[in-house]
Amino acid sequence: PNAVTFICALGACGIRRDVEKGKQLHAEVVSRGFLVKNIALGNALLDMYAKCGTFGEARMVMEELPVQDKVSWNALVAGHAHMGQGHEALNCFERMQKEGFAPDAISFICALKACANMGSIDKGTQIHDEIISTGLLGKDIMLGNALVDMYTKCGVLTKALQVLEELPIRNTISWNVLIAGYAERDQGLEALSCYKQMQSEGLSPDEVTLLFVLKACASAGDIIKGKQIHDEIASRGLFEKDIVLGNVLVDMYAKCGALVEAQMVFNELPNRSIVSWNAVISSYSQRGRSREALNCFSQMQSEGLSPDIVTFIFILKACGDMGAMDKGKKIHEE
């Protein structure tokens, strides 16, 4: 193997998080004296350890590199951010700058991810200002999306929308980030407004868009829009490809009080998981239709699925509403 072979093999170890194989390759690289000659190989080794979460070894490799560059630092910042170690990622980001390396789009994307994970809006705003000064926003759509994501995850949705609208280039992913942010905070009307604006720009929704728009419909009680999304999902044959979409569709109809439609969609699902069953069981239980909830529970068990905590909560509620003490006791003993 030559240096290129080792770079590819180390990349595979990073993807699989196979640190033991990575260490074997590291030893072979050292024995052949490749590290002294090839900075790309050193960076591949550093990246492998960072992706495996073994940052002690990653830092040792960093210190032993004859030459460090921006790629070396990006590997460390990205590794910490990916592992949810926001403080460490930002420390590396700052050290990189102190060492005289100007951040590029990858550096900023990873630093913004760290801010998003930590909910650190002050640091995120500071990095936003740095990005503006570099002029990178007009050149990298992923950087713009990372910025919208950071503000969204920090809960500053008004600012996230403002940033999105000011982006010189945006795509479906840009809007998905914001629609998801509103939908997950039960701000259904705002999510649907973003969806409408996204469509007015000629952008087509993907599965992620449709999923969160359905959640927004459930939150806003907008069954008309929900039915439109249902028609689009059916026309694109997405039921067969994405069980999550089917589950969310059942939940949307249930939360809008359309239990007949919820049951019909449920019956048509090609694959049903515990989440599917929970959606329909909870909808019956919450609306006082306890007998239907218990029937679904029995059918679910007959299909070999084991109830989880959510299932038990709604089934016990159904038993209580019916006064079905014996059935409740039996479930309690399970």
Side-chain angles (χ1 to χ4, degrees):
N2 60 16
V4 175
T5 321
F6 280 114
I7 288 171
C8 297
L10 287 166
C13 291
I15 291 168
R16 295 181 58 191
R17 295 191 181 183
D18 189 345
V19 72
E20 294 306 318
K21 184 62 178 176
K23 285 180 178 179
Q24 292 174 19
L25 294 171
H26 184 182
E28 194 167 349
V29 166
V30 171
S31 70
R32 292 170 180 264
F34 283 162
L35 278 182
V36 181
K37 307 170 188 175
N38 194 311
I39 187 171
L41 181 52
N43 288 338
L45 192 55
L46 173 59
D47 183 64
M48 180 276 295
Y49 280 124
K51 284 179 177 170
C52 290
T54 49
F55 292 104
E57 286 85 349
R59 281 188 288 273
M60 284 176 61
V61 171
M62 181 85 157
E63 290 166 5
E64 292 170 2
L65 290 179
V67 181
Q68 297 171 357
D69 62 7
K70 196 179 296 183
V71 177
S72 317
W73 284 102
N74 281 351
L76 272 183
V77 176
H80 282 299
H82 183 70
M83 292 292 177
Q85 300 175 7
H87 287 291
E88 293 83 352
L90 292 176
N91 285 340
C92 288
F93 179 71
E94 290 170 4
R95 282 182 58 200
M96 166 184 166
Q97 291 172 295
K98 288 177 183 176
E99 294 286 337
F101 296 104
D104 59 10
I106 294 172
S107 319
F108 283 125
I109 288 169
C110 295
L112 287 169
K113 182 177 181 179
C115 293
N117 291 340
M118 295 166 60
S120 180
I121 187 64
D122 291 338
K123 184 64 178 176
T125 303
Q126 180 187 326
I127 291 172
H128 183 182
D129 292 338
E130 288 182 49
I131 292 168
I132 290 172
S133 68
T134 64
L136 287 171
L137 272 181
K139 304 171 185 175
D140 195 305
I141 193 168
M142 290 179 65
L143 180 55
N145 292 346
L147 197 53
V148 175
D149 184 62
M150 183 276 295
Y151 281 116
T152 300
K153 286 183 176 163
C154 287
V156 192
L157 295 172
T158 305
K159 182 66 175 178
L161 177 59
Q162 179 189 335
V163 169
L164 186 145
E165 291 177 335
E166 291 173 356
L167 291 179
I169 46 175
R170 51 184 178 252
N171 59 9
T172 299
I173 295 172
S174 317
W175 283 105
N176 283 353
V177 170
L178 194 56
I179 291 168
Y182 279 122
E184 288 179 334
R185 289 166 176 79
D186 290 328
Q187 297 182 36
L189 293 176
E190 291 83 351
L192 292 174
S193 175
C194 287
Y195 179 61
K196 184 177 180 181
Q197 192 172 343
M198 168 187 156
Q199 288 181 302
S200 73
E201 294 182 2
L203 294 169
S204 298
D206 60 13
E207 288 92 334
V208 175
T209 322
L210 296 173
L211 188 151
F212 284 106
V213 170
L214 283 173
K215 288 190 174 185
C217 292
S219 175
D222 191 341
I223 194 169
I224 294 174
K225 174 60 74 176
K227 285 182 176 179
Q228 291 174 8
I229 301 300
H230 182 180
D231 291 341
E232 182 158 1
I233 291 170
S235 69
R236 290 164 62 174
L238 295 177
F239 277 133
E240 291 75 20
K241 302 175 185 176
D242 195 328
I243 188 173
V244 177
L245 266 178
N247 293 343
V248 174
L249 188 57
V250 172
D251 187 63
M252 183 277 296
Y253 278 124
K255 286 181 177 171
C256 289
L259 299 187
V260 173
E261 287 86 349
Q263 185 69 58
M264 285 176 61
V265 172
F266 177 81
N267 292 341
E268 292 170 2
L269 292 179
N271 296 295
R272 297 197 283 251
S273 67
I274 187 66
V275 177
S276 318
W277 283 102
N278 283 349
V280 72
I281 288 170
S282 65
S283 65
Y284 282 128
S285 176
Q286 288 177 311
R287 284 164 180 79
R289 296 175 62 172
S290 304
R291 193 168 301 283
E292 289 93 333
L294 287 168
N295 287 340
C296 287
F297 180 66
S298 298
Q299 191 178 345
M300 180 192 87
Q301 289 181 304
S302 71
E303 292 188 7
L305 288 171
S306 299
D308 62 9
I309 292 173
V310 175
T311 323
F312 281 126
I313 288 171
F314 287 106
I315 282 300
L316 289 170
K317 181 182 185 302
C319 291
D321 291 343
M322 286 180 66
M325 178 67 73
D326 292 341
K327 181 68 174 175
K329 280 183 176 180
K330 184 178 178 182
I331 292 170
H332 181 193
E333 290 167 1
E334 290 184 22

